[in-house]
Amino acid sequence: MINLFDTIRNTLVPIHKEGYVFVVIFFVVSLILGYFAEPLFWIGLVLTLWCAYFFRDPERVVPQDDDLVISPADGRVSHVALVVPPAELDLGIEPMLRISVFMNVFDCHINRAPVRGQVTRIEYREGQFVNAELDKASSDNERNGLVIDTPHGRVGVVQIAGLVARRIVCWVKPNEPVSAGERFGLIRFGSRLDVFVPAGGQARVVVGQRAVGGETVLAEFGSTKGPTIGRRA
């Protein structure tokens, strides 16, 4: 019963205002198609409900600790590795811990700040739309990168468009402060978020793990423990 309640609570959540126009378009198209063939209306209605679900904007309980790096999105952890950050972020040429979270078309696509700090840089780059799960998506795909100045150094966050994504939205501006878990943007219809963690941060997730935006701890500073290691069980 508790699991059923949690499922309903997490499903019936507010729709972000960015999604209103898409939900209306899907519904109007459903009505038009239904005028010609009733089965097409029901197919369109299902797609309309999916569209509303896609743009859901649930509340999250965000850990308030400057030593933690929080997941910026719902999805599956697809990469945890040391990688040179994109040149446009101006984070240097030394490898940084990169943690990637891949969002499929059923994940919540609201993007949240992984740390508290001040946005010092925002850089948009045009690009391709290959599968966002592929490693090369970080360099080849359309993307929008943010740099957040924090007590532990500069953290990079990159919104990467995916195979069917065609629109990256970012609501914050340079020199604005952000709080950990604060909504800063979204990517429409499938995508990925890369987080670049400065030296001293230890990974607290493993590849294949599910992450919850605004709640799951991706990395931690100041810990004497090594990086988290996973195994299949």
Side-chain angles (χ1 to χ4, degrees):
M1 181 63 70
I2 294 178
N3 289 337
L4 177 61
F5 174 78
D6 288 341
T7 299
I8 295 174
R9 183 189 63 183
N10 292 328
T11 302
L12 300 178
V13 296
I15 300 173
H16 193 275
K17 61 182 181 180
E18 289 276 349
Y20 291 163
V21 63
F22 291 94
V23 174
V24 171
I25 290 173
F26 270 61
F27 184 67
V28 170
V29 171
S30 299
L31 291 176
I32 295 173
L33 293 176
Y35 176 80
F36 297 99
E38 183 177 344
L40 293 179
F41 168 76
W42 294 109
I43 294 173
L45 183 60
V46 170
L47 292 175
T48 301
L49 294 175
W50 167 79
C51 185
Y53 182 69
F54 177 89
F55 284 103
R56 65 194 184 280
D57 185 13
E59 292 295 327
R60 297 289 163 80
V61 180
V62 184
Q64 299 299 301
D65 187 337
D66 286 343
D67 289 338
L68 303 179
V69 179
I70 310 302
S71 179
D74 290 13
R76 185 179 65 84
V77 177
S78 57
H79 299 88
V80 178
L82 291 174
V83 178
V84 176
E88 67 265 18
L89 297 185
D90 195 26
L91 291 174
I93 60 174
E94 294 298 320
M96 296 177 67
L97 175 63
R98 186 192 72 191
I99 302 176
S100 304
V101 179
F102 173 76
M103 298 174 284
N104 64 39
V105 294
F106 296 104
D107 287 317
C108 175
H109 274 56
I110 298 296
N111 302 153
R112 297 171 178 267
V115 289
R116 179 185 68 85
Q118 185 173 25
V119 177
T120 59
R121 191 181 190 92
I122 299 179
E123 292 289 340
Y124 172 79
R125 289 289 184 275
E126 294 183 350
Q128 302 176 30
F129 298 95
V130 301
N131 188 341
E133 279 201 281
L134 299 177
D135 192 59
K136 66 178 183 179
S138 291
S139 58
D140 293 355
N141 279 21
E142 176 191 4
R143 60 191 184 272
N144 184 63
L146 286 72
V147 176
I148 304 174
D149 194 13
T150 80
H152 293 285
R154 294 184 297 166
V155 173
V157 188
V158 184
Q159 300 169 285
I160 302 173
L163 188 63
V164 294
R166 290 295 185 273
R167 179 71 169 126
I168 295 175
V169 181
C170 181
W171 302 311
V172 297
K173 295 179 175 59
N175 301 318
E176 287 187 354
V178 291
S179 300
E182 179 180 335
R183 300 164 177 84
F184 76 86
L186 63 83
I187 314 174
R188 293 175 187 157
F189 308 121
S191 46
R192 171 174 141 195
L193 268 289
D194 283 352
V195 179
F196 289 88
V197 181
Q202 299 279 3
R204 290 289 171 259
V205 289
V206 295
V207 173
Q209 180 177 339
R210 291 288 302 177
V212 178
E215 294 188 354
T216 300
V217 175
L218 297 185
E220 181 181 10
F221 292 98
S223 174
T224 57
K225 299 186 297 182
T228 298
I229 300 175
R231 68 176 180 87
R232 294 188 180 276

